[in-house]
Amino acid sequence: MSYRYQDILIKNGDVVLDDGRNPVLIQDAQVIAQDIKHAIIESGLAVALIGDTSPSGRADIKKQIELLVEEETRLVPGTVTLEEPKLGLIWIFADTREFGRLDVEVSNV
């Protein structure tokens, strides 16, 4: 089977290995989701969101995260939405250009 995008699965900063101790591979939409998650974490915005207690500051950081995700060229512009069901947990929803709906969870808990 042919994939447009393929990468190694990373969880909690570590490469995920299968039972044979080989890296687990992810494809297409999963790669896009992982790239978005890493961009948010590497930007420091997820940590800043947890550290800010003011409603206006939190709203500003959420908007910055949304704009960062909107920069992803493999997403349909204007489809990004962000939810924060609890402190330390961010859900991002968007439509990819080729693979349909995408759900990304970023957690700092």
Side-chain angles (χ1 to χ4, degrees):
M1 181 168 224
S2 177
Y3 301 104
R4 174 97 188 224
Y5 308 106
Q6 188 161 299
D7 201 354
I8 295 171
L9 178 61
I10 306 290
K11 283 198 178 174
N12 300 320
D14 292 323
V15 174
V16 176
L17 302 176
D18 65 15
D19 292 337
R21 309 233 357 112
N22 298 304
V24 173
L25 299 178
I26 56 173
Q27 294 81 29
D28 298 334
Q30 291 175 310
V31 172
I32 297 170
Q34 180 168 277
D35 289 349
I36 289 169
K37 182 175 183 175
H38 290 162
I40 293 167
I41 292 168
E42 291 167 9
S43 73
L45 291 170
V47 173
L49 185 61
I50 290 173
D52 198 325
T53 58
S54 74
S56 62
R58 295 179 62 71
D60 179 56
I61 295 168
K62 288 178 189 178
K63 181 52 88 175
Q64 289 179 53
I65 293 171
E66 185 178 322
L67 292 172
L68 174 68
V69 175
E70 282 280 355
E71 292 177 6
E72 172 56 64
T73 59
R74 296 170 289 184
L75 297 180
V76 176
T79 64
V80 175
T81 58
L82 182 142
E83 294 180 17
E84 186 186 23
K86 67 179 185 175
L87 188 64
L89 179 62
I90 303 166
W91 291 340
I92 297 167
F93 306 98
D95 293 329
T96 65
R97 293 183 186 273
E98 300 176 78
F99 310 109
R101 192 79 176 149
L102 183 74
D103 303 334
V104 180
E105 179 180 306
V106 181
S107 176
N108 272 343
V109 284

